[in-house]
Amino acid sequence: MSERRATGLLDVDRSAVRYVRKGRDDAAERSLLKELAAERRRFGYRRLREMARRRGVVMNLKKVWRLYREEGLKVRQRGGRKRAIGTRAPLQKAQAPNAIWVLDFVSDCLDDGRRFRVFNVEDQFTRAGLCTEVDTSLPGSRIVRVLDRLVAAWGKPRMIVSDNGTELTGNAMLKWTTESGIKWHYIAPGKPMQNGFMESFNGKLRDECLNENVFTSLAQARRIIEAWRIDYNAVRPHSSLGYRTPEEFAAAWHAANAGGGGAPAASACRRARGSQGQAFGALRASLTAPARDGLEDKRPGRKDGSAGAEQKDCAKDQIENRFNL
């Protein structure tokens, strides 16, 4: 021991020694596997390895399995019936307005116990609520008509994100997806936070509107929920948008990118506050007029309309004053 100290060498416990692994750059292999998985949707990692070998890239089977798991390329098991086909790649965050729409359902009930559902659609980038469709029944054919109306008003998005609900995986949606050419991304079953933007919208809708009101009729529910959506887009500040409204954020983004610029600056956002989002304002009349009047229980998304008897609303004046209708 003294000799080791004299020479400057000390005993080091083996538990203190750690080997630092030097990983290889697998970017090219990852990119190739994702490309092959997009082309061959039902191929597992063994067949993907063989397809890569045919392109001149030889990889160990265990390496292919590791990259296959890390990139989330696992083949989804088919159910007992034919469902709509969605993308297999991990979801990317939207980089521009109208790039990705997220959608989901929320349920509530009237004061007499009759249940109704709300079909919500939100733009992922601007956080703007595009639609709050309210009815007691919202089958796949009804959802297709609502989406056609939104596409005609806002334009076609590049991708739509949803869960695996029966309304969104049926034959009607399968046909519409094929004809429209819009990519559809289904989140993993039992993992709602993969659609976190929509879950946030649903939570705000329930906390700020559904839990704050007692609905006596469908017409009243449509009027109040639509008024909340307009307030959500034009008045309510969003912390994720720098405490701006979706209309202000969208207007600022378009102003900043009119000449090929980058993200919206604070000054551009302030200049856009006066316009209040011209793109949103131009569509507001056509999308919200049936819900604002509340005089008849009909919706443009419904095939024949639903003529329900309008119940007397003793708190109508208070509600309308509250939402400035």
Side-chain angles (χ1 to χ4, degrees):
M1 186 67 179
S2 60
E3 295 179 358
R4 289 180 176 270
R5 289 180 177 177
T7 57
L9 298 176
L10 296 176
D11 291 332
V12 179
D13 191 272
R14 295 185 64 181
S15 63
V17 179
R18 296 292 183 269
Y19 171 73
V20 179
R21 181 176 177 272
K22 298 179 181 179
R24 296 181 179 179
D25 185 11
D26 299 327
E29 289 84 353
R30 290 176 186 271
S31 177
L32 178 60
L33 285 179
K34 289 192 290 185
E35 178 184 353
L36 293 173
E39 295 176 357
R40 308 283 182 170
R41 300 175 52 84
R42 305 303 301 174
F43 278 16
Y45 70 98
R46 290 184 176 88
R47 284 191 175 87
L48 292 180
R49 179 199 180 201
E50 176 62 22
M51 297 298 295
R53 187 189 66 79
R54 293 183 181 182
R55 294 197 180 186
V57 180
V58 179
M59 291 181 284
N60 182 276
L61 185 62
K62 291 187 288 185
K63 178 179 179 179
V64 175
W65 169 242
R66 175 175 60 84
L67 300 179
Y68 183 84
R69 288 185 305 166
E70 293 176 357
E71 294 299 326
L73 303 178
K74 183 179 179 181
V75 178
R76 296 178 181 175
Q77 295 183 356
R78 296 189 183 274
R81 61 185 179 85
K82 194 171 184 180
R83 294 177 180 269
I85 300 175
T87 59
R88 189 170 150 191
L91 176 63
Q92 302 294 326
K93 187 176 180 181
Q95 301 298 324
N98 213 42
I100 299 178
W101 289 359
V102 293
L103 47 88
D104 199 3
F105 294 87
V106 175
S107 63
D108 203 354
C109 63
L110 304 177
D111 62 347
D112 58 0
R114 187 184 182 190
R115 300 198 65 82
F116 65 88
R117 306 182 73 194
V118 186
F119 174 62
N120 299 321
V121 182
E122 182 187 39
D123 183 89
Q124 188 197 88
F125 184 76
T126 63
R127 310 294 198 275
L130 306 182
C131 171
T132 51
E133 190 77 7
V134 181
D135 212 327
T136 55
S137 178
L138 294 170
S141 57
R142 173 75 174 278
I143 300 303
V144 166
R145 292 194 293 271
V146 173
L147 291 177
D148 283 335
R149 189 178 77 231
L150 293 178
V151 169
W154 297 92
K156 186 184 297 185
R158 293 202 303 268
M159 180 181 292
I160 295 178
V161 181
S162 74
D163 58 13
N164 297 268
T166 56
E167 304 89 349
L168 306 175
T169 56
N171 293 331
M173 193 59 62
L174 173 64
K175 180 180 178 181
W176 184 85
T177 305
T178 304
E179 294 176 351
S180 63
I182 300 175
K183 295 182 180 179
W184 201 291
H185 180 94
Y186 290 107
I187 64 175
K191 296 184 178 180
M193 286 313 300
Q194 290 186 2
N195 196 10
F197 295 98
M198 193 72 254
E199 294 298 326
S200 176
F201 181 91
N202 291 344
K204 294 180 177 66
L205 171 62
R206 184 170 298 281
D207 182 60
E208 300 175 6
C209 181
L210 299 183
N211 291 347
E212 293 292 318
N213 296 277
V214 177
F215 306 110
T216 60
S217 66
L218 278 177
Q220 183 195 28
R222 288 166 179 160
R223 183 172 63 251
I224 294 177
I225 293 174
E226 185 70 6
W228 177 87
R229 186 187 71 87
I230 296 174
D231 180 84
Y232 182 88
N233 291 338
V235 180
R236 185 187 186 279
H238 292 243
S239 59
S240 60
L241 303 179
Y243 291 97
R244 292 165 288 176
T245 67
E247 293 187 2
E248 293 171 349
F249 180 80
W253 188 91
H254 286 295
N257 289 269
S267 59
C269 295
R270 286 193 294 269
R271 291 194 300 269
R273 288 180 185 271
S275 63
Q276 288 292 318
Q278 298 178 359
F280 289 87
L283 297 168
R284 187 178 300 168
S286 61
L287 288 179
T288 64
R292 277 207 301 265
D293 54 36
L295 298 179
E296 58 181 23
D297 199 5
K298 295 183 179 180
R299 297 289 284 174
R302 197 170 180 88
K303 189 174 182 180
D304 300 323
S306 58
E310 177 68 21
Q311 301 180 11
K312 293 184 179 180
D313 182 11
C314 61
K316 181 177 179 181
D317 295 335
Q318 298 178 3
I319 295 174
E320 291 183 348
N321 292 334
R322 178 177 179 179
F323 286 94
N324 298 323
L325 294 176

